[in-house]
Amino acid sequence: MITRDFIQIILFIVLLIGLTPVLGNYMFKVFNGKKHIMIPVLGWLEKLIYKFTGVNSGEEANWKTYTFGLLMFNLIGFVFVFLIQLFQAYLPLNPAHLTNVSWHSAFNTSVSFMTNTNWQGYAGETTMSYFVQMIGLTVQNFVSAATGIAVLLALIRGIARKTTDNLGNFWTDLTRSTLYVLLPLSILFSIVLVGQGVVQNFKTYETVQTLEGSQQIIPMGPAASQIAIKQLGTNGGGFFNANSAHPFENPTPLSNFLEMLAILLIPAALTFTYGKMVGSTRQGWTIFSVMLILLIAGLSISLYAEYAHNPIFGNLHLMEGKETRFGITNSVLWSTSTSAASNGSVNAMHDSLSPISGMIAMINIMLGEVIFGGVGAGLYGMVIFIILTVFIAGLMVGRTPEYLGKKINAFEVKMAIIAVLAPNIVILLFAAWASVIQPGLSSLNNSGPHGLSEILYAYSSAAGNNGSAFAGLNANTMFYNLTLGIGMLIGRFGIIIPVMAIAGSMGRKKITPLSAGTFRTDNSLFIILLIGVIIIIGGLTHFPALSLGPVVEHLLMNLGITF
Amino acid sequence: MSTKQNTSLFNKKILLQAAKDSVMKLNPALQVKNPVIFIVAIGSILTTIIVFVGIFQGNFSSFNLQICIWLWFTVLFANFSEAIAEGRGKAQAESLRKNRVQTKARKMDNKKEVSVYATELKKGDIVVCESGDVIPSDGEVIEGIASVDESAITGESAPVIRESGGDRSAVTGGTKVISDRILIRITSEQGNTFIDRMIALVEGAKRQKTPNEIALSILLSGLSIIFLLAVVTLPAFFSYSLSASGLPMSNNLTLPVLIALLVCLIPTTIGGLLSAIGISGMDRLLQRNVIATSGRAIEAAGDVDVLLLDKTGTITLGNRMATDFVPAENVSIEELADAAQFASLSDETPEGRSIVILAKEKFNIRGREVHQLNATFIPFTAQSRMSGVDYKTEEGTFHNIRKGSSEAIRTFVRNNNGFFPQNIQDVVNELARQGATPLVVAEDKRVLGVIHLKDIVKGGIKQRFAELRQMGIKTVMITGDNALTAAAIAAEAGVDDFMAEATPEDKLKRIREEQANGHLVGMIGDGTNDAPALAQADIGIAMNTGTQAAREAGNMVDLDSNPTKLIEVVEVGKQLLMTRGALTTFSIANDVAKYFAIIPAIAISLYSGKNGIGPLSALNVMNLGSPQSAILSAVIFNAIIIILLVPLALRGVHYRPVSANNALIRNLLIFGLGGIIAPFIGIKLIDILINL
């Protein structure tokens, strides 16, 4: 590593910290119906939407009604995206004349975009028409992110309010987060990206003659608009198969830097919004610190692993599959951010990371996608770990554990455990299944422990709603499309439903006032504890599987054996 | 009860009984109540079957047998911890039962006495008890007064007075009347009397899981499921790795090894000790002579953050004491002391006695022979509001000395054609402002001065309140005094707040207010008029001397009737929760070392060359002797640690009144960090022993 690399990383972190309160405060105003700068611009549209849909924006719902609305909305989105893929050949905006998508791939893709996973078993430019990409996938990119925010908002209200059933209005939350947060940021960001050279057109694919004299088809399309939201909404589904390693998605070092920052921007800012809404920005910064420390720790280990001497290349770095234009540091910074934030976009192939940095990417996902995590999802996932931490550690101060004045009882613990179990069940059971049966093994391109890592990564990615792939695994088979699709559903709603139940139960509780006997959740001791609990729960669950995948691969690499 | 005799943590009889009980508890119907240990029990059964099948098939594995034995020990040790906690309670229950021999009751039936068995008594029956009779059941004295020996339940041998009417009307079945005759109305159904409930509680027969225990059990079960998943999926990952290493599938993990791994990972330590911790919490309370009606109450005690404390008896000594004499102008202090002492000689009230003592201590005025002085003592009456002495001097003149409130004495001297000096009035006002009670002394028409009667704040109570404040507990003093006096005492005692001129309704209102603001309130009381507040409070401790109504309303009864007990109860509650948290942390932290013992052991052959030692042996950081000894050491450590921690579970973690943060740091260092390090050392030591 050279000085330039360090400067870039520091700049990245400083910008992230600096933007968090700015955007966080803006979102606080948006979600709480306060005056903000976008109301003069888009306020009429919000009113129009409510008038058109008949939503009474002031009417609040209990957790069951809120959740039901959310589930219905997602179900409709899923059915719509599923159908337009099945019939895309008959639909407009299909200049490349792409055929209808297979049913299992269509299932997988619509689940994937609805759940904010954006796992792509297909190659975008050779499978999906512009119509499906724009009307189906890009729309889901917005609303799946907005869904995550809505769940978080309901949870925050449950924590901050007392003795009430009201957790807000799902439709209002959905509209406001899309209209005032995701849309303006995406438009701004796509304009910047177009300025950097990202394509945005409806042209047919161009055929050019290469220097070698052969013919090459250059895909075109409305890429910039989808890339903006895929980064900002922690979606990650690339317009092109190569995702942000494709020069049309990510043309310059500046676009690369901004796209990386966009991955973490909203999840980070939401911690500030959280703090404001629960009445203590310290609480928000505490969570932010936990996330940042875990991110930097993962990044450091990955960078060390990539730059370390290895017996095969000596001091040469493992450049195969990396983002060769921007270098190792930018590949690793991206891989760490995208896996931590449940984004899933890539600018380098994770398959080509060193075993240890590949493992870090995998661990980032396995820990529950709480290191910034998905938009909304990362933070509500973090609250689950906070509940467990508060419960275990809170007992040690001699009081029934409480968080922000709310007592943590059996119901909350039960729901938190379900939320922790859901993704882990997917990862362990499906990966174990895939690693012993023919349909699972036949998709592998690599043998040895690396193959096991590919399988583990795929299911982690699905369960964590991340969407990035270790590549090297042909996932567009019926087996993988279905199991990964189911995995994504469990990983998404297996957390959302218990989180909503917790929100409902917390809202009904009284708030115990702060005293010297209260277990503090806004100091450095709590930061250490929370990090400890996240690592121990994730680590103990996945240590055996990881030791047979990346760990043994790393040890073998040091003996000069690769796969 | 046994509390006065020091019960040691273990004695031979209890240990033997517990050992027997831990085998009896293998009954699946009982075992299933503890999910974590139930998993171990199933593992033990499966391993046993495998061992026997192995013997029949002629490939006996001593490794499997050893795993099997230690798994059974794990179950037995967990049962043992519960049995020993129960055993201590059972010993206490036995001594209670001895007092509940089949007694005959003298039931009043239509004004006629009928002899019936105590067990036939119903709620509402009237019985009569005379000296020598054992009170047949719980009830309320409706007529008469008697002294009662309650040592059967309190362990206190001095008899107590029980009388109809007042706040001391409750009697307990099994106690003995030693003088006089009383009529008692039975207030409890048979089987639900105080002693019945005590026996049920200490035996743990009616023990239900408390809310926090349930929450913790869910967490432990959840963790167990996670580890179950991690273990059941391992053979699949192994089979992949075996085929990738070119090894035969027959090298895959055997069931005993998987079970061993599972048992090591699931939180058996806390799972095994959880019910022992709960029972011993109840037991610790009992040792302080407090009986809780449920485990839930003890837990809630740990959460209490507002304490309502009665001034008298809790914060101050029961009675006011004379601390000073302030003479009037032209009166020497000796003369005042002498007159005050003389006027108080026959005053049997504690205040009167304290005046005599003060006079003796300060001025060496000795007692005099009262009848030789031709003196007549005038006792205190509600009408006169003063007391004193009338005497005849040797010269034959009559004099009257009086002491009393300033108003009473003012009237007294005016009637004797005297006057009440302004400076005495000033002293009186000043003393009242300080929270003291001024008592004015006069002889005939002369006012001699003022006796300073003061509420004495108990020694060390201020320190206690400071500790409570550090723990985040607010103290509120309740008193019938006026606001001025209350404020002065509150300041001296260092309570956070006070309620002056408090009526029972005020108390109830205050509790409701605190609760509405999210506080949990603890209080202690005795009178019938305290009952609503006791019922409303989250922790209501009734004094054993109190009324039956109060005892029914509260969720704890303090047998010593000591108001400061409330503070100890809070401490026991906190200690109980801390012990659970600490052992949970310890249990989970232990897993790190167990992974480092077992994973390299089972994965040693993977991707190995000809020497059979694969790259994952690098994880064998403890350098354990062999794969078999590594697994065995982890299993043995896992079993033994339960037994080693039984004393801690019964005693509770060391408790100190410090802030939440300090308590957390301390417990984290000991049980978190210690929990990570201890098994590394323990497993290594066991491995060395095995490989000797």
Side-chain angles (χ1 to χ4, degrees):
Chain A
M1 281 177 83
I2 49 177
T3 322
R4 212 172 48 211
D5 295 316
F6 285 109
I7 292 175
Q8 199 207 324
I9 291 170
I10 291 168
L11 189 66
F12 180 80
I13 291 168
V14 167
L15 268 176
L16 186 66
I17 296 173
L19 288 172
T20 292
V22 179
L23 181 60
N25 196 38
Y26 168 71
M27 289 194 286
F28 170 73
K29 289 181 188 162
V30 169
F31 301 141
N32 291 284
K34 299 194 187 316
K35 276 195 182 144
H36 56 85
I37 51 165
M38 289 311 288
I39 287 194
V41 189
L42 289 168
W44 59 274
L45 187 55
E46 188 191 352
K47 287 200 189 97
L48 193 71
I49 291 171
Y50 294 154
K51 208 172 162 191
F52 200 68
T53 52
V55 169
N56 177 357
S57 66
E59 193 179 38
E60 301 219 342
N62 64 21
W63 80 267
K64 284 183 184 155
T65 313
Y66 196 103
T67 313
F68 183 74
L70 183 147
L71 293 178
M72 280 303 114
F73 178 75
N74 276 281
L75 179 65
I76 292 166
F78 161 77
V79 172
F80 177 73
V81 177
F82 182 61
L83 290 178
I84 60 172
Q85 289 179 79
L86 287 186
F87 303 109
Q88 71 167 356
Y90 317 120
L91 295 167
L93 284 174
N94 187 2
H97 302 292
L98 299 170
T99 54
N100 292 336
V101 182
S102 75
W103 69 268
H104 51 84
S105 173
F107 164 77
N108 182 286
T109 305
S110 40
V111 166
S112 164
F113 278 76
M114 172 193 63
T115 56
N116 198 253
T117 311
N118 295 33
W119 170 270
Q120 292 166 297
Y122 60 91
E125 55 272 47
T126 57
T127 318
M128 299 295 175
S129 72
Y130 292 166
F131 183 82
V132 172
Q133 295 254 26
M134 286 176 67
I135 304 298
L137 306 187
T138 307
V139 168
Q140 284 300 318
N141 277 350
F142 279 96
V143 295
S144 66
T147 300
I149 294 179
V151 173
L152 176 66
L153 290 176
L155 177 64
I156 299 176
R157 292 190 190 111
I159 294 171
R161 294 174 178 181
K162 56 178 177 180
T163 53
T164 178
D165 273 328
N166 293 336
L167 297 178
N169 184 320
F170 171 67
W171 308 104
T172 312
D173 290 338
L174 185 74
T175 311
R176 285 187 181 151
S177 45
T178 311
L179 205 57
Y180 297 132
V181 179
L182 298 169
L183 203 58
L185 281 175
S186 304
I187 291 171
L188 196 71
F189 193 36
S190 15
I191 293 168
V192 174
L193 287 177
V194 170
Q196 289 297 306
V198 177
V199 295
Q200 176 80 4
N201 59 39
F202 289 99
K203 283 186 199 162
T204 47
Y205 294 173
E206 290 194 5
T207 312
V208 294
Q209 192 133 29
T210 64
L211 288 174
E212 291 159 354
S214 59
Q215 298 244 307
Q216 188 183 353
I217 296 170
I218 308 281
M220 290 285 151
S225 55
Q226 191 181 321
I227 290 156
I229 186 62
K230 85 155 186 194
Q231 298 302 97
L232 286 165
T234 58
N235 293 290
F239 193 84
F240 306 115
N241 190 32
N243 209 305
S244 284
H246 194 294
F248 282 2
E249 282 204 30
N250 184 13
T252 65
L254 181 62
S255 74
N256 188 64
F257 184 79
L258 292 177
E259 285 182 17
M260 286 192 296
L261 196 60
I263 293 176
L264 299 177
L265 182 64
I266 298 179
L270 278 171
T271 59
F272 189 86
T273 313
Y274 179 88
K276 283 277 272 193
M277 284 180 76
V278 300
S280 155
T281 44
R282 260 183 84 103
Q283 297 283 350
W285 284 116
T286 306
I287 297 178
F288 180 90
S289 311
V290 169
M291 293 173 164
L292 189 65
I293 290 169
L294 284 167
L295 182 83
I296 294 175
L299 180 67
S300 310
I301 297 170
S302 295
L303 284 171
Y304 177 79
E306 289 298 334
Y307 282 104
H309 174 93
N310 77 68
I312 298 159
F313 294 107
N315 286 326
L316 288 173
H317 310 314
L318 309 154
M319 278 312 287
E320 187 272 326
K322 297 286 159 48
E323 175 49 274
T324 45
R325 294 174 299 159
F326 308 133
I328 297 255
T329 301
N330 274 301
S331 302
V332 173
L333 184 54
W334 189 301
S335 76
T336 314
S337 303
T338 197
S339 54
S342 172
N343 183 291
S345 64
V346 291
N347 75 349
M349 293 304 112
H350 290 185
D351 200 27
S352 305
L353 294 170
S354 69
I356 292 298
S357 43
M359 178 171 80
I360 292 296
M362 213 183 306
I363 288 176
N364 278 342
I365 304 174
M366 286 169 166
L367 293 183
E369 285 296 11
V370 293
I371 309 170
F372 295 106
V375 170
L379 191 45
Y380 64 66
M382 185 59 101
V383 173
I384 292 294
F385 279 102
I386 289 176
I387 288 177
L388 293 179
T389 308
V390 163
F391 186 79
I392 299 170
L395 278 178
M396 278 192 284
V397 308
R399 288 243 304 234
T400 304
E402 64 198 31
Y403 178 55
L404 295 173
K406 296 293 177 82
K407 294 252 180 255
I408 305 297
N409 300 113
F411 184 76
E412 286 77 27
V413 172
K414 192 193 287 177
M415 290 300 130
I417 284 288
I418 292 174
V420 168
L421 271 175
N424 285 321
I425 287 177
V426 172
I427 299 174
L428 287 170
L429 286 185
F430 282 170
W433 189 25
S435 58
V436 287
I437 60 166
Q438 197 47 37
L441 295 171
S442 60
S443 287
L444 290 177
N445 286 344
N446 298 79
S447 60
H450 197 75
L452 188 62
S453 298
E454 287 169 358
I455 296 176
L456 266 177
Y457 195 101
Y459 287 103
S460 302
S461 179
N465 294 146
N466 183 288
S468 64
F470 225 37
L473 177 78
N474 171 26
N476 198 1
T477 65
M478 202 198 297
F479 175 78
Y480 277 106
N481 274 332
L482 291 181
T483 50
L484 289 169
I486 293 166
M488 289 183 255
L489 284 174
I490 298 174
R492 178 75 163 178
F493 297 105
I495 298 177
I496 283 183
I497 294 171
V499 164
M500 287 301 301
I502 289 175
S505 144
M506 294 276 245
R508 282 191 291 271
K509 288 173 195 262
K510 290 192 269 195
I511 292 182
T512 311
L514 208 65
S515 76
T518 311
F519 168 53
R520 306 286 302 209
T521 52
D522 59 355
N523 56 16
S524 49
L525 182 62
F526 185 70
I527 293 177
I528 297 169
L529 265 175
L530 183 52
I531 291 175
V533 167
I534 292 170
I535 291 180
I536 283 194
I537 291 186
L540 293 180
T541 313
H542 297 290
F543 186 76
L546 287 175
S547 62
L548 297 178
V551 172
V552 75
E553 188 187 351
H554 171 78
L555 294 169
L556 286 166
M557 182 187 79
N558 284 344
L559 300 171
I561 305 164
T562 55
F563 299 91
Chain B
M1 203 159 32
S2 54
T3 55
K4 299 288 184 226
Q5 318 126 26
N6 252 330
T7 36
S8 69
L9 208 50
F10 304 107
N11 69 43
K12 210 172 162 189
K13 198 177 153 204
I14 294 179
L15 281 174
L16 274 174
Q17 185 61 37
K20 216 158 76 185
D21 285 350
S22 46
V23 180
M24 302 301 286
K25 280 176 183 286
L26 288 174
N27 177 356
L30 296 174
Q31 209 71 61
V32 77
K33 286 182 187 162
N34 187 339
V36 177
I37 300 304
F38 188 61
I39 292 177
V40 184
I42 292 177
S44 315
I45 294 170
L46 286 177
T47 322
T48 312
I49 295 171
I50 290 165
V51 169
F52 276 102
V53 169
I55 292 172
F56 274 109
Q57 292 177 343
N59 50 1
F60 166 75
S61 152
S62 83
F63 171 72
N64 284 356
L65 179 65
Q66 290 179 74
I67 293 279
C68 175
I69 290 170
W70 282 102
L71 290 181
W72 280 117
F73 269 127
T74 311
V75 180
L76 288 174
F77 287 168
N79 289 348
F80 180 75
S81 77
E82 190 180 88
I84 199 157
E86 286 174 351
R88 300 212 291 161
K90 276 193 183 129
Q92 281 164 330
E94 224 162 89
S95 71
L96 284 174
R97 272 213 192 83
K98 277 183 201 148
N99 293 306
R100 213 188 44 170
V101 284
Q102 186 61 295
T103 41
K104 285 264 189 167
R106 294 156 63 185
K107 187 177 152 192
M108 296 298 286
D109 217 3
N110 288 329
K111 295 189 178 162
K112 257 181 20 206
E113 229 183 87
V114 202
S115 181
V116 297
Y117 282 107
T119 46
E120 292 164 11
L121 288 174
K122 289 190 187 63
K123 205 169 161 178
D125 286 346
I126 313 276
V127 294
V128 63
C129 286
E130 275 178 312
S131 62
D133 288 347
V134 172
I135 296 174
S137 186
D138 291 3
E140 195 148 15
V141 182
I142 53 171
E143 198 187 303
I145 175 167
S147 54
V148 179
D149 173 11
E150 293 196 339
S151 59
I153 55 167
T154 64
E156 191 64 62
S157 54
V160 292
I161 301 294
R162 291 285 177 256
E163 59 186 335
S164 63
D167 281 348
R168 294 187 297 180
S169 61
V171 287
T172 308
T175 57
K176 200 171 177 185
V177 175
I178 47 182
S179 77
D180 303 289
R181 176 178 189 272
I182 42 175
L183 277 185
I184 298 165
R185 189 194 306 116
I186 303 300
T187 52
S188 293
E189 293 291 353
Q190 287 310 308
N192 194 29
T193 64
F194 198 63
I195 287 206
D196 288 328
R197 278 184 294 173
M198 258 175 96
I199 291 172
L201 276 168
V202 294
E203 280 190 332
K206 278 193 185 163
R207 212 180 85 82
Q208 286 178 324
K209 280 190 176 177
T210 59
N212 178 263
E213 217 175 336
I214 293 171
L216 186 55
S217 300
I218 291 171
L219 179 79
L220 298 179
S221 306
L223 287 173
S224 303
I225 295 173
I226 290 179
F227 291 126
L228 188 64
L229 278 173
V231 171
V232 296
T233 53
L234 204 51
F237 297 132
F238 241 77
S239 96
Y240 176 95
S241 306
L242 286 170
S243 79
S245 328
L247 293 167
M249 281 303 139
S250 58
N251 281 11
N252 209 331
L253 300 171
T254 63
L255 199 53
V257 168
L258 286 173
I259 292 170
L261 177 59
L262 177 65
V263 168
C264 284
L265 293 179
I266 59 176
T268 46
T269 314
I270 177 69
L273 296 172
L274 190 56
S275 54
I277 295 171
I279 297 168
S280 66
M282 193 96 72
D283 198 51
R284 277 202 299 281
L285 212 52
L286 218 49
Q287 281 167 27
R288 287 168 174 76
N289 258 1
V290 176
I291 296 185
T293 51
S294 70
R296 181 188 285 255
I298 307 176
E299 230 172 67
D303 282 350
V304 162
D305 56 357
V306 173
L307 292 186
L308 298 191
L309 301 163
D310 270 321
K311 183 197 80 176
T312 310
T314 313
I315 296 169
T316 61
L317 295 172
N319 309 296
R320 289 168 187 160
M321 308 263 271
T323 56
D324 208 0
F325 297 112
V326 185
E329 269 175 45
N330 304 324
V331 177
S332 73
I333 195 162
E334 286 80 11
E335 188 186 353
L336 169 63
D338 188 64
Q341 190 254 13
F342 193 19
S344 307
L345 272 180
S346 273
D347 185 350
E348 284 300 318
T349 63
E351 285 90 350
R353 261 183 258 164
S354 77
I355 294 170
V356 175
I357 292 168
L358 183 71
K360 185 178 174 190
E361 278 176 357
K362 267 195 155 176
F363 305 102
N364 206 21
I365 300 169
R366 292 178 298 110
R368 348 178 188 199
E369 287 300 320
V370 178
H371 57 270
Q372 291 174 353
L373 295 170
N374 299 321
T376 327
F377 285 94
I378 312 296
F380 180 89
T381 66
Q383 286 79 33
S384 70
R385 290 169 63 212
M386 47 186 191
S387 62
V389 61
D390 294 348
Y391 70 97
K392 195 173 90 180
T393 56
E394 283 162 12
E395 297 87 53
T397 54
F398 287 91
H399 297 281
N400 308 322
I401 303 178
R402 291 290 182 275
K403 64 180 204 297
S405 69
S406 60
E407 287 77 31
I409 298 295
R410 186 188 296 269
T411 321
F412 171 76
V413 289
R414 281 208 184 131
N415 290 346
N416 289 326
N417 300 319
F419 75 101
F420 197 85
Q422 183 56 40
N423 67 333
I424 290 293
Q425 188 59 49
D426 292 344
V427 171
V428 165
N429 291 346
E430 170 62 20
L431 288 180
R433 210 180 49 74
Q434 289 171 9
T437 309
L439 217 54
V440 184
V441 184
E443 182 165 11
D444 305 330
K445 62 177 186 178
R446 268 176 80 217
V447 174
L448 297 176
V450 184
I451 306 169
H452 184 174
L453 278 183
K454 200 177 158 191
D455 259 325
I456 303 295
V457 171
K458 279 188 179 173
I461 199 86
K462 193 165 186 172
Q463 170 69 20
R464 209 77 190 260
F465 290 146
E467 286 172 6
L468 287 173
R469 199 168 306 116
Q470 272 189 330
M471 289 155 59
I473 296 172
K474 191 168 93 173
T475 44
V476 181
M477 182 183 86
I478 313 267
T479 170
D481 293 344
N482 64 48
L484 218 62
T485 313
I489 295 168
E492 191 181 343
V495 292
D496 298 301
D497 197 0
F498 66 88
M499 283 177 74
E501 289 166 27
T503 62
E505 293 74 37
D506 291 341
K507 277 195 216 177
L508 188 61
K509 203 171 133 229
R510 175 69 182 247
I511 294 174
R512 290 210 170 116
E513 273 168 23
E514 297 284 0
Q515 286 172 334
N517 290 327
H519 291 287
L520 265 80
V521 183
M523 74 162 282
I524 195 158
D526 54 0
T528 301
N529 53 17
D530 278 334
L534 281 172
Q536 179 70 35
D538 300 280
I539 294 296
I541 305 180
M543 297 203 218
N544 192 42
T545 54
T547 58
Q548 191 65 25
R551 293 203 325 203
E552 292 287 334
N555 40 20
M556 291 188 192
V557 175
D558 175 23
L559 299 174
D560 295 342
S561 303
N562 169 8
T564 34
K565 231 10 130 33
L566 191 48
I567 299 169
E568 287 177 41
V569 170
V570 169
E571 290 177 354
V572 170
K574 285 200 179 294
Q575 198 186 24
L576 172 75
L577 293 173
M578 278 184 188
T579 310
R580 275 190 203 141
L583 289 180
T584 306
T585 309
F586 186 83
S587 199
I588 297 170
N590 271 342
D591 282 0
V592 177
K594 292 173 191 163
Y595 263 138
F596 278 98
I598 296 182
I599 296 289
I602 59 180
I604 190 165
S605 65
L606 295 177
Y607 303 103
S608 61
K610 289 193 178 72
N611 64 356
I613 294 170
L616 280 170
S617 57
L619 295 180
N620 184 5
V621 290
M622 283 176 272
N623 198 16
L624 302 177
S626 68
Q628 273 87 3
S629 74
I631 297 169
L632 206 55
S633 308
V635 174
I636 294 174
F637 176 84
N638 193 53
I640 287 179
I641 197 74
I642 297 179
I643 281 294
L644 290 182
L645 289 175
V646 166
L648 182 73
L650 295 185
R651 218 176 38 228
V653 297
H654 185 73
Y655 173 81
R656 266 191 217 158
V658 290
S659 73
N661 243 353
N662 292 344
L664 183 59
I665 291 174
R666 190 190 141 82
N667 285 328
L668 266 182
L669 284 177
I670 298 175
F671 297 99
L673 202 60
I676 291 176
I677 298 167
F680 277 103
I681 300 167
I683 292 174
K684 178 70 189 168
L685 285 178
I686 296 170
D687 183 73
I688 292 172
L689 284 177
I690 291 178
N691 286 305
L692 274 181

